[in-house]
Amino acid sequence: MDKILEGLVTSSHPVNVKKVIVKKVVESAENSINEEQCKAMFTVTTRLVLEGEDCFQKQVGHQVLEAYARYHRTEFENFFNRNFVITLLQEGYGSLDRKDIAIIDYIHSGLKLIMSCPSVLDIFAVLQVEVLRIVCERPEPLLCARLSELLSDFVQCVPKGKMSISFCQQLVRTIGHFQCISTLEKELREYVSQVTKVSSLLQNIWKAEPCTLLPSLQEVFAIISSTDASFEPSVALASLVQHIPLQMITVLIRSLTTDPNVKDASMTQALCRMIDWLSWPLAQHVETWVIALLKGLAAVQKFTILIDVTLLKIELVFNRLWFPLVRPGALAVLSHMLLSFQHSPEAFHMIVPHVVNLVQSFKRDGPPSSTTFLIQFSELMHCMIYHYSGFPDLYESILEALKDLPKPSEEKVKLILNQSAWTSQSNALASCLPRLSGKSETGKTGLINLGNTCYMNSVLQALFMATDFRRQVLSLNMNGCNTLMKKLQHLFAFLAHTQRETYAPHVFFEASRPPWFTPRSQQDCSEYLRFLLDRLHEEEKTLKALSATSPDTMITDGNVQPSSPSGADDFPRHQNTGWRSGDKTLIESMFGGKLQTNICCLNCRSTSQKIEAFSDLSLAFCPSTSDKPAQNMICSLPEKEDDCIEIDVSPETEPQSVHLPLAEEGDPAKPKAIGGEVLANSPCVLDTATCESTVECANDSCRISGREKPLSVTDLLNYFLAPEILNGENRYHCEKCSSLQNAEKTMQILEEPEYLILTLLRFSYDPKCHVRRKILDNVSIPLVIELPVERTTSSSSSGDCNRDVDDVPDVGENLAKKLKPSGAEDFSCTQLLPYVLSSIVVHSGTSSESGHYYTYARNVTNSTRCIQPEKSNLASSQSQIVGART
């Protein structure tokens, strides 16, 4: 019969005729034949199954083999024995290689035919060894899938005991080597199906033998954390994630992130490759594991890894949003990455160019189900735009594309941002983060944003760059004191001498934060600066008073306490504290000035005078050029074109003026202010030097409010000191007239500060809309201004004035009014005192409710008194200007 069958399948008869004859052969299987004839039939059918020239021959071989094996089971058991299976797996069959899938399929079919025979146990034992060997040889996906099918149907063939752990680990490694070069959809679907079968086998083994799960996962991590550049693990490993119990997330992530043997480079590789898994179409829970690992790394302050991975993979994650199968997971990971990466707009700005195309495409061609995605995506974009509000031009097209979608409330945005930042998951950012706060070329130390504390960081860096002030603070003898000044001294000492790249000023923040400032909320840097200076001033006054009356008393954070009996020297007595002699405090001597306000009744011509101390001047913007005459009382030194410094401060990044001291000799200053907060006003800082140049705000997008030329700080100072007519609802109550009268108000500076702090009042109230708005006018900042100070002198010493009143342009009959009757012997003259720009605290953003602060500071050497200011690493913020007298 075997000869008939062999001749039939190779004959030229029509297929229909062959099928009829084959049917007769299958029916003859019921007949009794001897063992030799059975073996011959099994041999022929096996050859047809394995080496058949076409599908017809293979099909005939399967039909006849199955029929004869069913009716002659003992003979087939003798034929399909242990040795025969070993030969097939180790040597192949005829022209077939041992790795041919036909051999695995043949063995799979043979096991089904002898399942009830005792000898099958021997074959199971053989296969337990052989399948481990096959997996170690890294079979192709198709062969591995067929082997997985066999093992899923016959679990008795799966290696047992210690071999089961090795088998699972090797199978994981095999999946890591899978590759699919084709881009055809059909072949890609087949590839995914093959991988799914292999991962399902592992799932079954993990369930049957739980002891194999952890070693398998360790093998997965070893593969994806490898730094071997010659091998890139397959993304097919993502198929295993869905089979890992979610209950293990906490334990596994904690184990990984706290393992000292896991190097940062390895963890970075592992996280990057896990993010790549988002591309796998059928993997579930990949985003859950990725986000859990991101949070775990934040919890142990591995911020370097988080920053590197975010910047490396943020665009890939965004691109996954185009694919429906992986879109939900990609959006979850993208949201977490962006919302946690709050110290810099760098990550967000990497995807900004692609946002509009994505939104427009979904609006135009997206299915109805895409509406939910667009709403979630819109909320994410609004959160990021709110947080980095200093780039309105960049975001204009995005806001236009999102205008038809729901916009989250400001309260919801703040809540999302506060809950998502890395700093909300741990006590502080790590102290050494090269990318987060890498040292500048100047070697300065940056201050870490503790959660919306850029208003504090930027002010502290500006004060630190005030060289004379810093030296005075550092020279104080504060032994035994636990005061705010002591904490400021410690902070300055650390910034001056540390080799660290960044410092987290937790202690100083808690000590200096105004009680009404809510932690982790955006605040006004001008308000903070005034509170800080007032607190330091009052603290010193208290210390001086106590040291004079009760030497054995000490002050701790504003609380007076008796010192220890043996601690007579613990309190900083006045004679050895380093405080400046005289009645002035350090704050008064550095930042204090005196301002006289004169109000002259235009009816009776009587004048009232009031002298007040000031630590900064708040400069308002003139409503229009016609409202108040422009005065030339404040003079800038002659400008030289080649000395002009351009600071890239657009209308949304406007400066405040604070005049602070110059940097130390040979110590270039580039302070860093890390963070993002709200500022209501902007101060400018000027320092005294002989530079003749002007810093212009240069940005085409600036709104000039109808003015032909941008305003300058000099213009605003002129406006501040120019006479003002009090009339209408603003009339003055004259005591001599005992009624409301029109009056003229003038202001004069009687005593100049060492450091002049100017605050630009950029936030105004709109009574029509009942909202606060930010004034976006461009303001140029001269490197040098001359402050008019009124000096009272006798006629005999009038030549002592640097400039006589007659030398000052006539800017109004009541400007620089004499403070004494015209008949008095003494008279006043205006002395112009130059201040040189030292630092600027900038508020970035178009809103009065949110934004970011950063600091510019000047680099100064003895040979060069005027050096270009440099912007801190994390750009975008509002400004204060600080300057010092020459």
Side-chain angles (χ1 to χ4, degrees):
M1 189 63 70
D2 59 301
K3 299 297 183 181
I4 297 174
L5 180 61
E6 190 171 11
L8 175 64
V9 296
T10 57
S11 68
S12 59
H13 295 299
V15 175
N16 292 337
V17 174
K18 291 181 179 181
K19 287 183 177 180
V20 172
I21 300 174
V22 168
K23 185 177 179 181
K24 297 294 184 181
V25 173
V26 171
E27 293 174 351
S28 67
E30 300 178 8
N31 302 329
S32 177
I33 57 176
N34 59 38
E35 184 177 352
E36 194 66 29
Q37 289 175 322
C38 283
K39 183 178 180 181
M41 184 60 74
F42 293 146
T43 301
V44 170
T45 54
T46 296
R47 184 167 64 249
L48 290 175
V49 170
L50 295 176
E51 295 185 306
E53 296 178 357
D54 51 38
C55 292
F56 177 74
Q57 291 187 11
K58 293 178 183 295
Q59 184 180 6
V60 169
H62 276 294
Q63 290 178 351
V64 176
L65 177 62
E66 184 178 348
Y68 274 79
R70 185 183 305 114
Y71 289 104
H72 305 279
R73 191 170 300 276
T74 303
E75 288 77 8
F76 183 70
E77 183 180 3
N78 294 333
F79 174 81
F80 190 77
N81 57 36
R82 177 180 182 276
N83 293 331
F84 180 59
V85 172
I86 292 176
T87 302
L88 289 175
L89 293 174
Q90 295 184 358
E91 300 178 11
Y93 183 89
S95 61
L96 295 182
D97 184 76
R98 58 190 175 89
K99 295 182 180 181
D100 197 293
I101 60 172
I103 292 178
I104 298 296
D105 290 341
Y106 176 78
I107 293 175
H108 193 176
S109 300
L111 290 174
K112 292 178 180 179
L113 295 174
I114 66 166
M115 187 59 190
S116 60
C117 300
S119 62
V120 74
L121 299 177
D122 293 335
I123 298 178
F124 287 161
V126 168
L127 288 175
Q128 287 177 10
V129 176
E130 288 299 312
V131 295
L132 178 57
R133 178 188 59 78
I134 293 173
V135 169
C136 290
E137 294 175 350
R138 309 289 176 252
E140 293 298 318
L142 178 57
L143 177 59
C144 202
R146 295 293 177 85
L147 183 64
S148 298
E149 290 179 355
L150 185 155
L151 296 178
S152 297
D153 288 344
F154 298 97
V155 295
Q156 302 90 333
C157 300
V158 176
K160 306 299 180 185
K162 294 182 179 179
M163 288 179 59
S164 65
I165 296 177
S166 298
F167 177 75
C168 289
Q169 291 176 322
Q170 292 301 326
L171 194 55
V172 166
R173 287 209 165 269
T174 297
I175 296 175
H177 281 78
F178 285 173
Q179 298 296 334
C180 181
I181 302 176
S182 176
T183 57
L184 299 178
E185 182 178 355
K186 180 181 179 181
E187 296 182 4
L188 288 174
R189 288 182 179 275
E190 291 176 352
Y191 173 68
V192 171
S193 176
Q194 294 160 7
V195 174
T196 302
K197 291 176 181 178
V198 180
S199 65
S200 297
L201 171 64
L202 270 173
Q203 179 192 20
N204 294 334
I205 298 175
W206 291 342
K207 287 182 178 179
E209 298 188 59
C211 63
T212 62
L213 177 57
L214 188 57
S216 299
L217 299 182
Q218 291 172 339
E219 195 67 26
V220 172
F221 185 77
I223 294 171
I224 63 176
S225 63
S226 172
T227 56
D228 182 4
S230 63
F231 171 67
E232 182 60 32
S234 171
V235 73
L237 287 168
S239 62
L240 300 177
V241 174
Q242 59 189 320
H243 304 310
I244 305 173
L246 293 177
Q247 299 89 328
M248 298 184 65
I249 284 184
T250 303
V251 175
L252 291 176
I253 295 301
R254 186 185 298 118
S255 175
L256 288 176
T257 55
T258 58
D259 187 349
N261 296 320
V262 179
K263 305 302 181 183
D264 285 359
S266 298
M267 184 62 76
T268 301
Q269 283 281 30
L271 184 53
C272 285
R273 286 162 176 162
M274 287 181 68
I275 292 174
D276 291 340
W277 291 353
L278 290 170
S279 304
W280 190 253
L282 298 181
Q284 300 177 10
H285 310 310
V286 170
E287 71 279 6
T288 304
W289 284 92
V290 170
I291 293 173
L293 184 54
L294 290 171
K295 289 182 177 180
L297 290 170
V300 296
Q301 301 186 10
K302 294 286 187 178
F303 297 109
T304 303
I305 298 175
L306 293 171
I307 293 168
D308 290 342
V309 171
T310 299
L311 296 179
L312 188 63
K313 292 297 182 179
I314 192 76
E315 290 181 286
L316 180 143
V317 175
F318 182 86
N319 289 335
R320 298 284 78 80
L321 297 177
W322 289 97
F323 305 100
L325 287 177
V326 299
R327 185 178 301 138
L331 179 60
V333 174
L334 180 70
S335 298
H336 182 83
M337 294 174 81
L338 288 177
L339 291 172
S340 60
F341 195 94
Q342 291 188 21
H343 66 278
S344 164
E346 185 177 0
F348 177 50
H349 287 178
M350 292 177 72
I351 68 166
V352 162
H354 314 297
V355 170
V356 174
N357 288 339
L358 181 73
V359 174
Q360 291 178 345
S361 176
F362 274 86
K363 282 185 174 181
R364 182 178 60 251
D365 306 320
S369 59
S370 64
T371 303
T372 302
F373 162 75
L374 282 176
I375 293 175
Q376 296 172 341
F377 184 74
S378 174
E379 181 178 281
L380 174 62
M381 292 299 102
H382 280 297
C383 287
M384 303 316 298
I385 291 173
Y386 177 89
H387 188 60
Y388 304 117
S389 58
F391 306 89
D393 294 339
L394 188 62
Y395 305 147
E396 183 178 359
S397 59
I398 297 178
L399 293 173
E400 178 66 22
L402 299 176
K403 65 180 181 181
D404 298 331
L405 296 168
K407 181 180 179 181
S409 65
E410 185 173 356
E411 291 74 18
K412 184 175 182 180
V413 169
K414 290 180 178 179
L415 179 63
I416 293 173
L417 290 171
N418 287 338
Q419 290 178 343
S420 304
W422 289 330
T423 48
S424 68
Q425 302 164 22
S426 60
N427 293 330
L429 293 178
S431 60
C432 291
L433 304 180
R435 185 177 292 276
L436 172 60
S437 51
K439 281 188 176 180
S440 68
E441 63 274 16
T442 65
K444 294 297 179 183
T445 298
L447 295 175
I448 293 172
N449 186 354
L450 306 178
N452 286 340
T453 59
C454 65
Y455 66 88
M456 176 189 73
N457 291 359
S458 54
V459 165
L460 290 178
Q461 291 287 21
L463 291 174
F464 178 76
M465 295 310 300
T467 309
D468 289 342
F469 176 66
R470 179 174 75 246
R471 287 172 177 165
Q472 289 289 336
V473 171
L474 293 175
S475 66
L476 295 175
N477 181 3
M478 303 298 294
N479 292 334
C481 283
N482 186 22
T483 61
L484 183 61
M485 181 63 79
K486 174 66 175 179
K487 293 179 174 63
L488 181 64
Q489 184 184 64
H490 178 271
L491 176 63
F492 278 6
F494 191 91
L495 294 178
H497 303 296
T498 184
Q499 297 301 313
R500 292 168 63 177
E501 299 166 353
T502 57
Y503 176 69
H506 289 288
V507 174
F508 191 81
F509 172 69
E510 292 300 329
S512 67
R513 177 176 59 84
W516 59 91
F517 275 21
T518 304
R520 301 193 58 76
S521 63
Q522 301 192 36
Q523 304 294 347
D524 184 337
C525 85
S526 299
E527 186 177 4
Y528 173 78
L529 176 60
R530 292 192 188 100
F531 175 82
L532 176 63
L533 296 182
D534 288 346
R535 173 87 178 274
L536 293 171
H537 167 69
E538 293 299 330
E539 190 178 80
E540 183 179 344
K541 287 174 58 179
T542 303
L543 280 170
K544 286 183 176 181
L546 290 175
S547 65
T549 59
S550 180
D552 293 333
T553 305
M554 66 182 295
I555 185 169
T556 303
D557 282 345
N559 300 319
V560 178
Q561 300 177 355
S563 63
S564 59
S566 61
D569 293 334
D570 289 344
F571 181 76
R573 302 190 182 193
H574 181 65
Q575 60 266 27
N576 64 359
T577 58
W579 300 117
R580 289 196 173 194
S581 60
D583 296 331
K584 284 190 175 183
T585 66
L586 175 61
I587 300 302
E588 286 179 310
S589 62
M590 291 286 104
F591 304 104
K594 289 186 178 179
L595 186 70
Q596 176 174 284
T597 302
N598 306 313
I599 300 180
C600 176
C601 176
L602 296 182
N603 181 43
C604 67
R605 312 302 295 182
S606 64
T607 301
S608 66
Q609 298 177 345
K610 182 179 180 181
I611 298 177
E612 297 175 298
F614 70 88
S615 59
D616 72 302
L617 299 179
S618 298
L619 306 183
F621 284 71
C622 129
S624 68
T625 55
S626 61
D627 290 349
K628 199 170 185 179
Q631 306 296 345
N632 296 321
M633 190 177 71
I634 313 302
C635 303
S636 296
L637 292 179
E639 299 177 0
K640 293 183 180 179
E641 190 65 29
D642 56 350
D643 288 333
C644 186
I645 295 178
E646 294 284 344
I647 296 182
D648 184 14
V649 182
S650 60
E652 67 273 12
T653 60
E654 296 301 343
Q656 284 189 335
S657 310
V658 181
H659 298 278
L660 293 181
L662 297 175
E664 296 181 3
E665 177 181 354
D667 185 19
K670 184 181 178 183
K672 301 176 184 178
I674 303 176
E677 282 73 30
V678 180
L679 274 179
N681 303 321
S682 319
C684 298
V685 184
L686 298 178
D687 193 359
T688 56
T690 59
C691 288
E692 304 170 354
S693 50
T694 301
V695 180
E696 297 286 348
C697 296
N699 192 307
D700 294 336
S701 64
C702 291
R703 293 193 286 170
I704 310 300
S705 300
R707 297 185 178 93
E708 294 181 358
K709 295 173 58 180
L711 288 170
S712 69
V713 171
T714 301
D715 295 330
L716 299 183
L717 197 50
N718 285 336
Y719 180 68
F720 175 80
L721 294 173
E724 178 184 1
I725 301 299
L726 305 179
N727 54 18
E729 294 182 357
N730 199 29
R731 286 184 297 169
Y732 165 69
H733 185 275
C734 177
E735 294 184 358
K736 186 174 182 179
C737 299
S738 298
S739 62
L740 295 175
Q741 298 291 336
N742 292 340
E744 182 184 60
K745 175 182 175 182
T746 58
M747 303 178 75
Q748 298 169 325
I749 297 174
L750 300 184
E751 185 175 318
E752 73 282 0
E754 186 72 18
Y755 291 99
L756 175 62
I757 301 177
L758 303 177
T759 300
L760 307 191
L761 301 177
R762 284 200 167 272
F763 297 137
S764 63
Y765 179 74
D766 186 340
K768 294 182 180 179
C769 302
H770 302 289
V771 294
R772 288 209 315 165
R773 300 187 184 279
K774 182 174 178 180
I775 300 172
L776 301 179
D777 295 2
N778 249 359
V779 177
S780 64
I781 305 173
L783 285 180
V784 179
I785 68 170
E786 292 183 325
L787 183 71
V789 179
E790 294 300 312
R791 302 296 194 197
T792 301
T793 181
S794 64
S795 57
S796 61
S797 60
S798 60
D800 294 338
C801 290
N802 288 342
R803 299 193 183 187
D804 193 77
V805 175
D806 296 336
D807 295 332
V808 180
D810 185 10
V811 294
E813 58 177 344
N814 290 308
L815 191 59
K817 279 182 176 293
K818 293 182 178 180
L819 304 183
K820 293 188 176 182
S822 57
E825 295 181 1
D826 291 346
F827 65 90
S828 64
C829 67
T830 301
Q831 183 178 7
L832 299 178
L833 300 179
Y835 283 80
V836 173
L837 181 64
S838 174
S839 61
I840 306 174
V841 178
V842 182
H843 176 261
S844 171
T846 59
S847 170
S848 64
E849 304 300 328
S850 63
H852 175 63
Y853 286 110
Y854 61 87
T855 299
Y856 287 93
R858 294 180 61 248
N859 294 338
V860 178
T861 63
N862 276 351
S863 59
T864 305
R865 292 283 292 167
C866 201
I867 306 296
Q868 178 174 350
E870 295 186 39
K871 193 171 180 180
S872 63
N873 283 355
L874 300 180
S876 292
S877 158
Q878 177 164 347
S879 49
Q880 266 195 340
I881 310 169
V882 180
R885 251 188 334 123
T886 52

